[in-house]
């Protein structure tokens, strides 16, 4: 449904169309009477009685009587017009569409382009208010509405400027109808899965109505659908994110000094960014469904990026929304840098190990930002470390440890580069300084250089690496335990 305009706003736009077309029904009927009308006086009087009736329900009855008595009257186009205007008052939108279509499809000479333009406008308003995408004939409805939206744009372009208007006034008054026709073409193209056509039409609608949150939302959906299609058409290796890497086992070759090369752009990335921007602009304009759009944007960013750290995603979204509030452009500004995709993050993980990751994080800047998005919240198995210090806490055990790319670097370590919280493992209390152990844990945060420190949570030490419990002390001879 069309939520971007109020009903009063649509009525105003319709009034402008009527004004520009200069086709008041009664006046035209009277003019026809003065020029040797092709209808009888009885037809004219019956039509006038219906047209002047102020009660909509009664007017419908008079129009029904007219059609029953004069089924071939040349005044039928005016009757159809009175029908759809009356049903619009009654909010019976299916009837508005029915009678507007009768007028649009009429080949009577009385129906000129201005009269047809009015009917197309009323029809498209009714369609937007009443369309149900679950209806059995939803596709056919959308096809017809798109066809009429294109007709409306054509007729609006052909409309002659009234002599009483300046060029600027005429252009300004056409903006409302132009926005409606373009929006409807975009909306119906979206329903018909013609996403490039939808994107083009929504752009045109926003050029005429630049602060419509609903149009921005629909434009965002069109971009995201195009992006998803591009991504699904990409090679499977690119379309499927990789799983987190294992830590390099002791004895591995030292990591490269410059870390892992960052992946290039992924399929659909450009349209994803445009889609996120359009949704953010919709939110910034505070439409009636702002909260729903906000939730949708957050979900789509998560689907796109697949980061395991919600706080990082929230920070990215907040930055985007702040930019969208101050930059009023249809397309994203050049300052909006592309966000890494889940595909890119997965490719990085696939080509990395824990020690290249540590090097990249210590490098700082954009590289560290990218890498942290890739690794935050991921679980790494069997990380080899040397215990520097161990403390028992209320929740379990917290270890200060060191890990490096080779057994020699681990053995020689005297300072920690990791903080590890071990939970639900009481045996870990037996760990001591200088123990060499392996643990599996989740990356929670890190302190950047110069005092670089990785923080791990929900860790479990390999049971085989925990020192055995010391035997209990036996009571001295000749003494009994007190009961």
């Amino acid at each position: 449904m069309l939520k971007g305009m109020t009903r009063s706003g649509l009525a105003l736009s319709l009034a402008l169309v009527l004004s520009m077309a200069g086709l008041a029904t009664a006046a035209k009927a009277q003019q026809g009477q003065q020029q040797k009308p092709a209808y009888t006086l009885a037809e004219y009087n019956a039509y006038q009685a219906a047209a002047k009736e102020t009660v909509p329900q009664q007017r419908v009855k008079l129009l029904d009587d007219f059609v029953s008595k004069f089924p071939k009257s040349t005044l039928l186009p005016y009757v159809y017009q009175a029908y759809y205007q009356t049903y619009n008052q009654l909010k019976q939108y299916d009837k508005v569409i029915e009678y507007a279509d009768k007028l649009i499809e009429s080949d009577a000479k009385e129906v000129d382009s201005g009269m047809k333009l009015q009917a197309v406008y009323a029809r498209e308003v009714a369609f937007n208010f009443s369309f149900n995408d679950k209806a059995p004939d939803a596709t056919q409805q959308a096809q017809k509405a798109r066809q009429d939206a294109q007709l409306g744009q054509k007729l609006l372009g052909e409309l002659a400027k009234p002599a009483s208007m300046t060029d600027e006034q005429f252009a300004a008054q056409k903006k409302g109808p132009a926005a409606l026709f373009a929006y409807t073409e975009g909306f119906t193209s979206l329903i018909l899965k013609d996403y490039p056509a939808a994107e083009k039409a929504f752009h045109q609608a926003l050029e005429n109505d630049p602060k419509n949150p609903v149009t921005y939302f629909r434009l965002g959906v069109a971009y995201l659908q195009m992006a998803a299609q591009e991504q699904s058409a990409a090679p499977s290796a690119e379309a499927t994110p990789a799983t987190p890497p294992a830590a390099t086992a002791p004895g591995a070759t030292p990591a490269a000094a410059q870390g892992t090369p960052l992946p290039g752009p992924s399929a659909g990335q450009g349209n994803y960014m445009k889609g996120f921007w359009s949704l953010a602009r919709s939110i910034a304009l505070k439409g009636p469904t702002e909260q729903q759009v906000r939730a949708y944007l957050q979900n789509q960013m998560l689907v796109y990026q697949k980061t395991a750290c919600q706080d990082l995603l929230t920070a990215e979204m907040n930055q985007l929304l702040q930019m969208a509030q101050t930059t009023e452009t249809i397309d994203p500004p050049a300052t909006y840098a592309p966000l890494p995709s889940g595909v890119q993050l997965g490719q990085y993980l696939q080509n990395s190990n824990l020690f290249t990751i540590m090097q990249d994080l210590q490098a700082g800047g954009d590289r560290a930002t990218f890498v942290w998005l890739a690794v935050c919240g991921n679980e790494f198995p069997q990380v080899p470390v040397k215990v520097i210090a161990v403390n028992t806490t209320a929740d379990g055990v917290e270890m200060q440890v060191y890990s490096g790319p080779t057994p020699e670097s681990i053995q020689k370590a005297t300072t920690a580069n990791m903080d590890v919280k071990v939970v639900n493992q009481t045996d870990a209390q037996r760990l001591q300084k200088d123990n060499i152990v392996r643990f599996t844990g989740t990356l929670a945060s890190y302190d950047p250089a110069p005092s670089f420190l990785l923080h791990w949570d929900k860790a479990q030490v390999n049971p085989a690496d925990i020192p055995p419990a010391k035997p209990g002390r036996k009571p001295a001879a000749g003494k009994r335990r007190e009961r």
Side-chain angles (χ1 to χ4, degrees):
M1 289 188 178
L2 181 62
K3 305 287 187 184
M5 294 183 180
T6 63
R7 184 160 174 75
S8 59
L10 290 168
L12 176 60
S13 295
L14 179 56
L16 293 174
V17 173
L18 291 167
S19 173
M20 288 189 293
L23 294 171
T25 303
K28 185 145 188 181
Q30 290 172 350
Q31 182 184 11
Q33 186 184 34
Q34 294 169 1
Q35 299 175 355
K36 297 180 180 180
Y39 47 81
T40 65
L41 183 59
E43 291 175 63
Y44 177 75
N45 287 338
Y47 166 74
Q48 285 292 333
K52 292 178 181 180
E53 175 58 55
T54 59
V55 179
Q57 293 85 350
Q58 186 61 30
R59 191 186 311 136
V60 170
K61 291 181 181 180
L62 293 174
L63 292 171
D64 289 342
D65 289 342
F66 182 97
V67 173
S68 177
K69 292 177 182 178
F70 311 109
K72 297 185 180 300
S73 174
T74 56
L75 289 176
L76 281 179
Y78 305 104
V79 171
Y80 296 151
Q81 187 178 62
Y83 262 126
Y84 75 68
Q85 290 173 349
T86 304
Y87 280 121
N88 188 59
Q89 286 181 272
L90 296 170
K91 299 183 182 181
Q92 293 183 235
Y93 300 119
D94 57 334
K95 289 292 186 180
V96 174
I97 293 172
E98 177 185 343
Y99 283 99
D101 281 347
K102 286 180 182 290
L103 195 151
I104 294 166
E105 294 161 9
S106 173
D107 58 0
K109 63 181 181 180
E110 288 81 9
V111 181
D112 62 16
S113 60
M115 193 174 185
K116 189 169 288 190
L117 174 60
Q118 297 172 43
V120 173
Y121 186 90
R123 185 211 190 282
E124 299 299 79
V125 170
F127 168 80
N128 280 292
F129 271 116
S130 64
F131 177 72
N132 178 7
D133 60 1
K134 299 294 191 296
D137 62 341
T139 298
Q140 291 75 18
Q141 287 187 49
Q143 290 171 336
K144 181 66 169 66
R146 180 161 76 163
Q147 176 185 329
D148 283 338
Q150 293 166 345
L151 173 62
Q153 293 176 76
K154 177 177 180 294
L155 294 172
L156 190 64
E158 295 172 352
L159 189 65
K161 180 180 75 67
S164 60
M165 287 187 183
T166 65
D167 290 342
E168 292 76 14
Q169 290 172 331
F170 187 55
Q173 290 204 354
K174 288 198 295 183
K175 281 184 175 293
L180 171 73
F181 292 141
Y183 171 87
T184 307
E185 182 180 359
F187 179 49
T188 51
S189 296
L190 206 58
I191 295 165
L192 298 170
K193 303 186 188 311
D194 187 351
Y195 303 122
E199 178 268 323
K200 181 179 179 181
F202 287 134
H203 256 273
Q204 185 178 347
L206 286 168
E207 288 168 4
N208 289 283
D209 185 15
K211 294 189 176 182
N212 192 311
V214 175
T215 308
Y216 266 114
F217 169 71
R218 303 288 189 201
L219 176 61
V221 172
Y223 275 131
L224 293 178
Q225 291 291 345
M226 287 193 291
Q229 288 182 336
E230 291 177 67
Q231 193 175 70
S232 65
S236 58
E238 179 180 350
T240 306
T243 56
T248 301
T253 303
Q258 295 182 351
T260 303
L262 301 186
S266 60
Q269 190 169 33
N271 280 328
Y272 272 117
M273 295 306 102
K274 291 178 182 178
F276 297 156
W277 176 255
S278 297
L279 295 177
R281 284 290 297 140
S282 176
I283 294 167
L285 291 167
K286 298 188 181 301
T289 59
E290 176 192 348
Q291 292 305 315
Q292 292 94 314
V293 178
R294 186 182 293 269
Y296 178 73
L297 171 59
Q298 186 175 38
N299 180 67
Q300 289 299 307
M301 290 180 69
L302 180 60
V303 169
Y304 164 77
Q305 199 165 71
K306 299 179 176 65
T307 180
C309 279
Q310 184 65 42
D311 58 334
L312 298 181
L313 185 72
T314 300
E316 288 178 325
M317 181 171 164
N318 289 340
Q319 184 179 14
L320 170 60
L321 292 175
Q322 184 177 8
M323 188 180 296
Q325 289 174 349
T326 57
T327 308
E328 298 182 354
T329 58
I330 299 175
D331 294 317
T335 53
Y336 180 42
L339 302 176
S341 69
V343 171
Q344 290 173 300
L345 300 180
Q347 288 174 340
Y348 173 84
L349 285 172
Q350 192 173 32
N351 297 317
S352 303
N353 61 53
L354 178 59
F355 308 112
T356 60
I357 289 169
M358 291 168 68
Q359 290 175 342
D360 286 334
L361 290 175
Q362 291 179 77
D366 292 341
R367 170 177 284 271
T369 300
F370 178 99
V371 171
W372 188 242
L373 275 169
V375 302
C376 177
N378 281 304
E379 182 181 87
F380 286 73
Q382 301 300 305
V383 180
V385 297
K386 178 181 181 179
V387 177
I388 305 300
V390 58
N391 297 299
T392 301
T393 68
D395 298 326
V397 171
E398 186 168 348
M399 303 188 297
Q400 301 292 312
V401 302
Y402 177 88
S403 186
T406 64
E408 291 78 15
S409 65
I410 294 175
Q411 287 285 357
K412 292 178 181 179
T414 58
T415 58
N417 60 5
M418 296 181 181
D419 174 75
V420 183
K421 292 183 179 179
V422 181
V423 295
N424 299 323
Q425 192 176 23
T426 57
D427 289 352
Q429 296 177 8
R430 299 199 296 269
L431 292 172
Q432 298 178 1
K433 184 177 181 298
D434 296 333
N435 285 161
I436 303 296
V437 301
R438 294 159 293 173
F439 74 88
T440 296
T442 300
L443 272 176
S445 63
Y446 78 99
D447 299 332
S451 300
F452 180 80
L453 195 68
L454 276 180
H455 298 279
W456 299 81
D457 198 5
K458 303 175 184 176
Q460 291 280 290
V461 178
N462 189 326
D465 298 337
I466 298 176
K470 293 181 179 180
R473 182 176 299 176
K474 295 181 180 180
K479 292 187 179 181
R480 298 181 180 179
R481 291 183 179 178
E482 295 182 0
R483 296 184 181 271

